[in-house]
């Protein structure tokens, strides 16, 4: 089914890490087919109240069942602050599912997912779907500090190997997720480059670093980008990102997931 | 209850109803296909087109502000040829009216755009953007002075048979003077208003929140300014006015119409609610029939 | 953590800190006495004064709009004599700086006001309002043209020894041109911005929501316009600028200062929170010391 | 104590008549001395959210104890719609007590209060205080229809005589409160004009009618006026009302209660 706009109610609103909410939306609509990496635009139902005015994009974190959508929301500003304030029981419009999700393809048996900070959100859904396809999945998950790490038991229980990195060393590897990736790739032996699928989501600096590493090894990589968005559907040209070769790409509909080749100049 | 007559003629442009989607906020229409029945709209005004393709401004290009937003897209567009090749064939198949928003760096470019669009099937009218705050050459400069504004309007008028609307900037000292001059050129209508020039800075980091530093303010925040512009100009100018600025829900459209607008354009509200324009239309129709208006035209300029 | 130096000199006007209460939103100061320690403010700018008392506009005079408000007070005031008799004695006793906002119907009236205020103890500076959208004769007309604006500024400048600030209107095509001309007259600083001209109509009844039909838009809604004005003017003009428009909480003041303002005025926010100006000041001071700025002056115009 | 600004929490939010809420605020502050007829400016605590932007004036309806303030709120627009939406548990700033309240004086033994619609709000407090002073109090209370009438048992229980009027005759006298006043004054015999104190609050048309009646009988009257307000404290000059003799009065601080002589031209 094509993207549409549905009414949803927040039925759970839980602090799962420092300044990080798990928001669970319940909706009667159930025809959405969501690809991992796709996102929703969230807009609280506020007739005649225009603060916040615009909807906000959030990666779909999990889809426990067809009536439920989980988001992981970092509290960073006005809209996300509003979510925290409202707790549960409020209604919101969700536009989605939006954008181009991850396209891991068939061949790679092994997937290494690299997440920095809230970039872990779409990795839940992606890991789940890769596991369902019988792949071997590792998540390299970096954050500033252990307090910022979102619980990943849902992933480990389904067989995802999760390795942590924290800038301050309070959990796992001391350093960031891309440094962890270097280490990790050194350890696994690849018979050929097509064997491993890399996907990354997080701060731009991390994505650039991950790209440098995978280029050195000749691996392919998908990255999920962020951009400030107004429409979320390709209409406003607000989210344009300067891609490789100075081409413009709309993060909301040409992405948010791009092949790293398209994104980074050599 | 009567079903009110919603038809409206903006000069030569005949619309089934007075609610349009504003330029730059509705892409090329197709982006909203899955959210609504596009054919129910009075018209779709597509994103501004220039002769040559334009990459637009550096990101970030949008930022929310209190009850509104700033944008500095910088008129990114595929150019006239790209538009005709990639967008028009699909647009042509729609039953709603298609209005092409144009902007040029020189008066000659405006004239050329008008002339080349004149032949094209599927283009129902032109909207001349002399009011965009986000492009350096041209744009707002043309809209800031009555003489230049009228010159652009004349150039377009004389190069096309199609209905011509001229979209004016509110960033001026004397909007009525500009509107009056432009109205003299024989164009079909005026669209009021484009965005107001604004800026936002992240207080903590000091980073300007738009790549272009300055952008255009739109949304409910500017509605009082837009309503005032419509009111003042409609009292002085006899050609039809299309109200635009801060229309999010149907009462806002009623406000514009009562101020003097014959029709309205819904802009950034579409970002908040992709169906905003249709919701506005449905609410307007309900209001008119509940208040026993035989036509929307009866409401134009009607104050108590 | 260091205690930052908050002092600022707007030309000859020396303030202990850069946060003032804007004209028309703080009455004559006393109205807010029970809500805060007035002496902590950088300055109080009192409601606009004319030579003769003025009854102002017919009610209603205010209405809320999205993230803002319209007002059409029409400069109701007791006239200069009334002010000096009824308001000044109390104001004189305050330790904060008192700035008197003045407006005239002719250049001569501005000059006369300046001259008569020049002798008065307890008046620390004049703020020349050439930008009020709510009075027909004079007001905004003076602020719409560089030459006239400069003439008013000169007239005031030459009739008083006190520091003079000139408050400009954003309802103009080229604010930088006006600001530049005014700056040449030797005044101490510019205040940017006054309100934007706006209007609101009750959609259901069709009643204009202001007795005067048109009023001035203020509040957070206009902050992006104000910040842009401060930014543009401060890049071109060398005299100090006081930022005003949409400042409600301290980050908004930081935004204005980073755009180029040496000091700020808090306007309609005071209606929402009578302590808004002091809250802004306290937040600003906290921010400066947390970010290790030795003085507020260091933040002026500082972008990343 | 002078007016100030206090933080209060909504602990009760109950529909007591059509589109009419009883809002009960609880606050730790307890030093307010409220005169009947005074009002508060209500501004929900919404940092960085500017909708609604301005505070709204509401008469203090009752003050059950020093920590509690009751308001009667008609749901008519943005802010009042917001109150309805939020229910209980939200925090608000209250500025108050504001304005000049009723000043019934000592001599009159009998008080007739005339309320139209939500104009009944301050009459609760006024009636209560008059009863406490041992006066005989009648409330003439008019509304469009019985569904719009707020329960007044609190008043009848303390000995206030309440007579209803409804435009549609669904409760009590068919007609409005001023017509009811005519009837009522005909019934009571006054030895001298100073014996009765009249106070009215309601739509302007009602106030004008009440003024005409009391003039005929040579009675004195206080009226409570409404006006759109921005500051509520006399600073903005937004609430100016054209009084008798074309004088301007600020409803927020010269009023809201005025002597009828000041308000209406003969
Ligand atoms: C495709 C996509 C998926 C996203 N998925 C998630 C997610 O799963 N979880 C999550 O917590 N966040 C996600 N984000 C980021 C999220 O959209 C922003 O954090 C959110 O919009 C901030 O809203 P706010 O009103 O609280 O902040 P604002 O008050 O608007 O701004 C606060 C700060 O956040 C920055 N910001 C605002 N919008 C964005 C944006 N769209 N992208 C990046 N930074 C922004 C601002 O520049 C500012 O520094 C995603 C963004 C995109 C584009
Ligand atoms: C001194 C005083 C005491 C009041 N006491 C009460 C009370 O006890 N109970 C009660 O329900 N209301 C009272 N009001 C009226 C109340 O302030 C308005 O109903 C309220 O501000 C409407 O807010 P809103 O945002 O819901 O409406 P808006 O969306 O702002 O407007 C909706 C409608 O209400 C009208 N309105 C807005 N503000 C006022 C106002 N200040 N006075 C009159 N009409 C207004 C508007 O013109 C519009 O028609 C009082 C007003 C004053 C001045
Ligand atoms: C993202 C964006 C892009 C826009 N692009 C154009 C454009 O290309 N041409 C034009 O004439 N107006 C453009 N506008 C202005 C709108 O058409 C409209 O005039 C303005 O946004 C005010 O209406 P609103 O308040 O309903 O948004 C744009 C506005 C936005 C928000
Ligand atoms: C009710 C009201 C009255 C005002 N009266 C005056 C005035 O007398 N003189 C003046 O120069 N500005 C006056 N202003 C403009 C303010 O001082 C200020 O420039 C404007 O409101 C923008 O700031 P804000 O967004 O912080 O309110 C008035 C504003 C309001 C809201
Ligand atoms: S957010 Fe509008 S085009 Fe991407
Ligand atoms: S409401 Fe501001 S003076 Fe009365």
């Amino acid at each position: 089914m094509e993207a549409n706009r549905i009414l949803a109610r927040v039925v759970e609103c839980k602090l799962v890490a420092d300044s990080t909410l798990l928001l669970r939306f319940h909706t009667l609509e159930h025809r959405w087919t969501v690809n991992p990496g796709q996102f929703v635009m969230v807009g609280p139902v506020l007739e005649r109240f225009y603060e916040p005015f615009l909807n906000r994009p959030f990666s779909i974190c999990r889809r426990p069942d067809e009536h439920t959508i989980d988001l992981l929301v970092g509290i960073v500003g006005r809209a996300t602050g509003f979510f925290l304030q409202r707790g549960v029981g409020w209604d919101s419009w969700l536009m989605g599912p939006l954008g181009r999700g991850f396209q891991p393809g068939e061949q790679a048996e092994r997937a290494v997912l690299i997440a920095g900070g809230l970039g872990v959100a779409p990795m839940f859904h992606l890991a789940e779907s890769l596991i369902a396809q019988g792949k071997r999945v590792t998540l390299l998950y970096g954050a500033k500090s252990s307090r910022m790490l979102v619980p990943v038991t849902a992933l480990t229980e389904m067989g995802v190997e999760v390795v942590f990195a924290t800038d301050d060393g309070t959990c796992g590897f001391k350093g960031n997720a891309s440094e962890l990736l270097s280490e990790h790739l050194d350890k696994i032996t690849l018979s050929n480059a097509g064997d491993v699928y890399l996907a990354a989501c997080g701060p731009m600096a991390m994505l650039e670093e991950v790209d440098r590493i995978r280029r050195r090894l000749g691996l392919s990589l998908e990255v999920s980008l962020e951009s400030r968005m107004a429409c979320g559907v390709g209409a406003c040209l607000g989210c344009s990102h300067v891609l490789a070769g100075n081409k413009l790409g709309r993060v909301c509909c040409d992405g948010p997931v791009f092949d790293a080749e398209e994104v980074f100049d050599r | 209850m009567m079903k009110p007559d919603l038809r409206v003629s903006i000069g030569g442009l005949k619309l089934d109803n007075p609610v349009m989607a504003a330029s730059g906020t509705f892409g090329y229409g197709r982006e909203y296909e899955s959210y609504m029945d596009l054919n129910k709209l009075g018209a779709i005004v597509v994103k501004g087109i220039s002769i040559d393709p334009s990459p637009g401004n550096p990101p970030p290009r949008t930022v929310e502000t209190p009850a509104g937003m700033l944008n500095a897209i910088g008129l990114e567009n595929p150019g006239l040829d790209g538009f005709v090749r990639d967008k028009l064939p699909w647009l042509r198949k729609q039953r709603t009216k298609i209005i092409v928003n144009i902007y040029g760096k020189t008066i000659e470019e405006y004239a050329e755009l008008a002339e080349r669009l004149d032949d094209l099937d599927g283009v129902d009218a032109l909207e001349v953007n002399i009011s965009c705050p986000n492009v350096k050459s041209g744009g707002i400069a043309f809209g800031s002075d009555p003489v230049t504004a009228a010159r652009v309007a004349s150039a377009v008028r004389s190069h096309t048979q199609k209905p011509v609307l001229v979209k004016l900037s509110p960033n001026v000292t004397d909007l009525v003077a500009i509107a009056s001059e432009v109205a003299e050129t024989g164009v079909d209508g005026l669209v009021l208003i484009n965005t107001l020039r604004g800026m936002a800075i992240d207080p903590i980091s000091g980073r300007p929140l738009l790549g272009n530093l300055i952008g255009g303010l739109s949304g409910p925040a500017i509605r009082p300014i837009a309503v005032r512009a419509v009111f003042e100009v409609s009292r002085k100018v006899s050609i039809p006015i299309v109200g635009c600025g801060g229309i999010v829900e149907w009462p806002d459209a009623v406000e514009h119409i009562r101020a003097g607008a014959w029709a309205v354009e819904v802009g950034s509200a579409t970002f908040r609610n992709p169906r905003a324009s249709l919701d506005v239309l449905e609410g307007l129709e309900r209001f008119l029939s509940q208040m026993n208006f035989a036509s929307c035209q009866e409401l134009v300029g009607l104050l108590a």
Side-chain angles (χ1 to χ4, degrees), chain A, chain B:
Chain A
M1 204 200 144
E2 284 180 303
N4 63 356
R5 181 168 176 254
I6 62 177
L7 199 59
R9 167 153 299 188
V10 176
V11 293
E12 205 176 310
C13 173
K14 195 163 67 180
L15 266 174
V16 290
D18 250 30
S19 299
T20 309
L21 291 177
L22 176 83
L23 277 190
R24 170 161 290 181
F25 288 88
H26 191 87
T27 164
L28 294 178
E29 169 71 61
H30 59 275
R31 286 166 301 167
W32 280 14
T33 322
V34 180
N35 294 327
Q38 287 192 297
F39 69 97
V40 287
M41 294 293 283
V42 179
V45 176
L46 293 168
E47 274 164 36
R48 313 299 295 153
F49 281 86
Y50 304 121
E51 294 251 85
F53 178 57
L54 297 172
N55 303 332
R56 297 292 195 279
F58 294 94
S59 302
I60 294 167
C61 172
R62 295 191 67 194
R63 190 109 186 287
D65 64 59
E66 58 187 358
H67 293 290
T68 309
I69 291 161
D70 283 354
L71 306 181
L72 266 183
V73 173
I75 301 160
V76 300
R78 297 212 312 167
T80 52
F82 178 89
F83 299 166
L84 175 67
Q85 233 183 66
R86 293 305 299 269
V88 296
W90 51 279
D91 292 330
S92 180
W93 291 103
L94 300 182
M95 289 171 66
L98 299 172
R100 175 194 181 277
F102 293 101
Q103 306 193 343
E106 306 284 279
Q107 68 269 57
E109 275 151 40
R110 190 192 259 274
V112 180
L113 316 182
I114 306 102
L118 262 309
V120 78
M123 296 310 185
F124 276 79
H125 197 194
L126 177 60
E128 202 169 357
S129 106
L130 290 167
I131 289 283
Q133 291 165 44
K135 315 271 168 156
R136 188 166 154 201
V137 182
T138 304
L139 170 66
L140 309 180
Y141 176 18
K144 286 226 178 74
S145 161
S146 63
R147 285 171 301 111
M148 315 289 283
L149 289 167
V150 166
V152 293
T153 35
L155 294 179
T156 49
E157 275 170 9
M158 64 177 75
V160 178
E161 176 195 16
V162 181
V163 190
F164 296 104
T166 49
D167 294 349
D168 63 1
T170 45
C171 179
F173 179 84
K174 183 168 193 307
N176 58 39
S178 46
E179 290 165 5
L180 182 56
L181 174 66
S182 284
E183 277 217 346
H184 186 76
L185 290 178
D186 285 348
K187 273 188 274 183
I188 56 180
T189 36
L190 300 165
S191 43
N192 71 66
D195 284 354
V196 62
Y197 165 74
L198 297 182
C201 183
M204 189 45 87
M206 180 195 98
L207 299 183
E208 282 168 357
E209 189 51 36
V210 169
D211 183 62
R212 247 170 264 132
I213 296 167
R214 69 97 199 169
R215 265 181 213 271
R216 231 172 24 229
L217 301 173
L219 304 176
S220 66
L221 163 71
E222 289 193 302
V223 293
S224 179
L225 301 185
E226 283 198 8
S227 176
R228 252 187 265 136
M229 292 185 178
C231 74
V233 303
C236 72
L237 308 181
C239 63
S240 288
H241 188 93
V242 185
L243 301 172
N246 252 327
K247 276 189 55 183
L248 287 172
R250 289 167 302 178
V251 172
C252 70
C253 54
D254 302 323
V257 178
F258 293 87
D259 190 303
E261 293 283 331
E262 290 178 74
V263 175
F264 300 104
D265 277 310
R266 228 142 309 203
Chain B
M1 247 169 355
M2 236 176 347
K3 230 182 129 59
D5 186 353
L6 294 175
R7 288 171 304 174
V8 58
S9 296
I10 311 293
L13 175 65
K14 312 236 169 304
L15 303 176
D16 285 344
N17 71 65
V19 182
M20 308 182 238
S23 180
T25 65
F26 212 72
Y28 300 96
R30 196 164 190 175
E31 292 83 350
Y32 286 108
E33 197 185 9
S34 75
Y35 294 91
M36 60 193 280
D37 181 354
L38 300 175
N39 288 322
K40 290 195 174 154
L41 282 176
I44 294 172
V45 190
V46 298
K47 175 71 191 163
I49 299 289
S50 51
I51 294 183
D52 297 319
S54 160
N57 286 325
R61 292 175 169 186
T62 65
V63 61
E64 186 176 86
T65 62
M69 63 178 288
L70 288 166
N71 89 80
I73 309 299
L75 295 173
E76 174 182 342
N77 82 91
L80 182 60
D81 292 334
F83 169 72
V84 172
R85 183 184 61 237
D86 301 333
K87 310 292 182 185
L88 194 57
W90 181 88
L91 285 167
R92 197 174 274 143
K93 281 186 255 155
Q94 310 310 307
R95 271 171 295 120
T96 188
K97 295 280 190 288
I98 303 299
I99 302 178
V100 178
N101 181 282
I102 58 170
Y103 83 97
K105 286 191 288 293
T106 60
I107 295 187
E108 292 67 38
E109 283 192 11
Y110 279 105
E112 183 182 341
L113 280 160
E115 186 161 0
R116 288 173 58 189
L117 283 160
D118 190 37
D119 302 329
L120 293 177
D121 222 40
V123 175
D124 296 294
L126 306 188
E127 183 180 81
V128 188
N129 180 0
I130 53 170
S131 48
C132 180
N134 295 328
V135 280
K136 293 219 170 58
S137 48
I140 213 161
F142 288 114
S144 304
D145 169 71
V147 177
T148 333
R151 223 175 270 155
V152 175
S154 286
V156 173
R157 173 69 298 168
S158 60
H159 285 81
T160 183
Q161 305 294 324
K162 296 193 196 283
V164 174
L165 310 178
V166 179
K167 187 163 176 185
L168 299 181
S169 166
N171 301 289
V172 297
T173 308
D174 191 349
L175 183 57
V176 171
I178 295 170
S180 306
E181 287 294 323
V182 170
E184 293 295 311
T185 63
V187 296
D188 298 81
L190 301 174
V191 182
L192 303 172
I193 56 176
N194 211 314
T195 54
L196 282 116
R197 301 178 63 247
M199 178 178 187
I201 300 167
D202 180 52
I204 312 298
S205 69
R207 236 180 325 107
L209 288 164
L210 294 175
N212 191 49
L213 303 185
I214 290 173
L217 183 64
S218 63
I222 70 164
R223 191 172 66 232
I225 299 170
V227 169
R228 183 266 302 165
V230 168
F231 175 78
E232 286 190 328
V233 171
S234 69
R235 258 76 192 156
K236 288 285 154 90
V237 165
S238 56
I239 65 172
I241 286 164
V242 177
C244 177
I247 300 176
V248 184
E249 296 171 65
W250 67 264
D252 312 329
V254 171
E255 195 179 354
H256 267 269
I257 294 169
R258 285 194 184 272
W262 294 43
V264 296
E265 293 183 3
V266 175
S268 15
T270 293
F271 302 152
R272 180 180 165 93
N273 168 11
R275 269 190 111 264
S277 45
L278 273 195
D279 287 352
V280 163
L281 174 60
E282 288 164 14
L284 173 63
E285 183 164 10
R286 221 179 310 117
F287 173 78
L288 290 169
S289 66
Q290 277 168 4
M291 304 289 274
N292 283 312
F293 285 98
S295 72
C296 186
Q297 194 65 39
E298 286 178 11
L299 191 65
V300 175
L302 192 70
L303 298 181

